[in-house]
Amino acid sequence: MTAGRAAVVCGIGAALPPDVVPNADLTARLDTTDEWIRSRTGIAQRHVAGPDLSTTDLAAQAAADALATGEPATAQALVVATTTPDRCCPATAPAVATRLGLTGIPAHDLAAGCTGFLYALATAAGLIAADTARTVLVVGVDRLATLPDPADRTTVPLFGDGAAAVLLRRGSTDEAGALGPIVLGSDGTGAELIRADRPGALHMDGADVFRQAVDRMSTASRQAATAAGWDLADVDRLAPHQANSRITAFVARQLGVAADRQLGNIAETGNTGAASIPLLLARSAADGRLHPGHRTLLTAFGAGLTWGATTLTWPDLCPVRLPEGTAHDR
Ligand code: UT7
């Protein structure tokens, strides 16, 4: 990417459904315990959208917040990463753009499982490099709580709903907020390991997914750091997709990133799919664990199988407005 055509993060926003489901609510109806869920996954609660809060609603809320904190506060294109759109057709993004008063801009969805946000960053960077847009909104949104069979104790506790968005603008590679090279990959031979033919019918081979998630995120992280010219010892913050705190601990250990440099919010959100990384960034920026100037490594793994990683030095953004109901149980 040439100087002047880099994609630079200049705004961030987030949205979580107000309804919180603590582990205790699940132990009342499933053969599980709070202790099992916390110790095996790190999850204490998750936010779950009721029937009156759609994927489009969550995406629009997060995108509006990202625009409000953005400099400039406008977008010339919109990409929505989601595996759980409200409808098969049409896509979510044009409706979100219209709700933001941006009817007419290029707007599309992409599906790449829990790696969707990183795929969308790459797409947005491409739109900027192609001169299609100087500012691009990227939304990661999922309602993953709709996917498990409500009676399946092995998957219900893992997932939650949410959205988060970043605004990117055209800028220089040496600016804070500029995305480094984005490493992406996929492997369709693992398609059956995480699959849902319809809502309520999720199947996941947890142990195999666990192993592959650790391997793929560690490898992609090393590749992204090398491509950016970073030594792993230079990484101030690791921002991994939040699927399981044991997965992220293994990844951090493989990369040699110390515990005080790992960001995590899975205790309060569970796995929110494409929303996971931007929600983590918004949360961490708001509570001070992520500062301007921190060299930050993002990595994700998900259904497909898909994976990816990238780097950025965290920029000095307008204060992030935290979604309601996120400040407890930490
Ligand atoms: O976003 C990317 C996609 N998803 C992921 O990355 C998730 C990856 N996988 C995981 O996070 C973990 O594999 C799980 C959390 C899904 C499962 O943890 P695990 O340590 O791999 O457990 P396991 O599947 O090997 O199951 C161990 C035992 C089993 O019992 P038996 O067969 O040993 O008697 C399960 O039936 O734990 C049992 N179990 C539970 N027990 C109580 C599974 N779920 C529960 C539960 N409560 N909720």
Side-chain angles (χ1 to χ4, degrees):
M1 200 176 294
T2 55
R5 287 200 178 188
V8 179
V9 173
C10 63
I12 189 163
L16 284 166
D19 292 348
V20 172
V21 178
N23 289 347
D25 284 13
L26 302 184
T27 61
R29 63 182 173 86
L30 292 170
D31 180 17
T32 188
T33 61
D34 177 56
E35 199 282 330
W36 192 97
I37 300 170
R38 283 181 194 254
S39 64
R40 304 307 292 170
T41 72
I43 299 167
Q45 63 170 46
R46 68 288 295 142
H47 292 249
V48 176
D52 56 342
L53 196 56
S54 67
T55 294
T56 307
D57 294 333
L58 287 168
Q61 282 178 27
D65 269 10
L67 270 185
T69 68
E71 183 55 52
T74 184
Q76 296 177 343
L78 172 67
V79 184
V80 172
T82 187
T83 305
T84 50
D86 295 319
R87 298 186 287 185
C88 299
C89 181
T92 314
V96 172
T98 288
R99 289 219 203 158
L100 297 172
L102 297 173
T103 300
I105 66 169
H108 74 283
D109 290 8
L110 66 81
C114 296
T115 318
F117 179 69
L118 295 181
Y119 271 77
L121 287 182
T123 302
L127 290 169
I128 289 171
D131 256 344
T132 302
R134 299 178 73 91
T135 49
V136 185
L137 261 174
V138 169
V139 185
V141 57
D142 266 314
R143 295 181 60 213
L144 293 187
T146 61
L147 294 188
D149 172 347
D152 181 6
R153 71 171 183 171
T154 70
T155 52
V156 167
L158 306 178
F159 298 104
D161 301 337
V166 295
L167 182 64
L168 299 169
R169 64 165 170 79
R170 182 170 159 156
S172 310
T173 50
D174 56 0
E175 287 184 65
L179 298 178
I182 303 172
V183 172
L184 299 173
S186 77
D187 178 5
T189 67
E192 300 304 310
L193 297 180
I194 314 170
R195 66 172 191 273
D197 295 336
R198 55 185 164 73
L202 179 71
H203 163 87
M204 184 167 71
D205 183 338
D208 202 354
V209 171
F210 190 113
R211 276 190 297 275
Q212 296 217 38
V214 172
D215 287 352
R216 293 297 192 186
M217 286 199 283
S218 301
T219 303
S221 294
R222 283 200 188 88
Q223 291 169 339
T226 301
W230 290 11
D231 195 286
L232 285 171
D234 299 334
V235 172
D236 297 310
R237 292 293 179 269
L238 178 65
H241 166 54
Q242 301 287 291
N244 184 320
S245 59
R246 290 186 298 134
I247 293 177
T248 52
F250 272 115
V251 172
R253 194 180 311 161
Q254 292 213 1
L255 299 176
V257 175
D260 62 352
R261 297 182 172 207
Q262 297 168 36
L263 301 177
N265 67 340
I266 194 168
E268 68 187 24
T269 61
N271 181 347
T272 56
S276 164
I277 287 179
L279 269 176
L280 175 63
L281 295 173
R283 185 73 175 102
S284 304
D287 69 18
R289 284 177 295 166
L290 178 60
H291 302 163
H294 273 154
R295 290 179 178 227
T296 307
L297 180 55
L298 320 182
T299 187
F301 177 85
L305 302 168
T306 57
W307 58 87
T310 193
T311 54
L312 82 161
T313 298
W314 192 249
D316 195 2
L317 300 177
C318 289
V320 181
R321 196 167 60 112
L322 272 181
E324 283 174 32
T326 58
H328 50 87
D329 207 6
R330 292 170 42 73

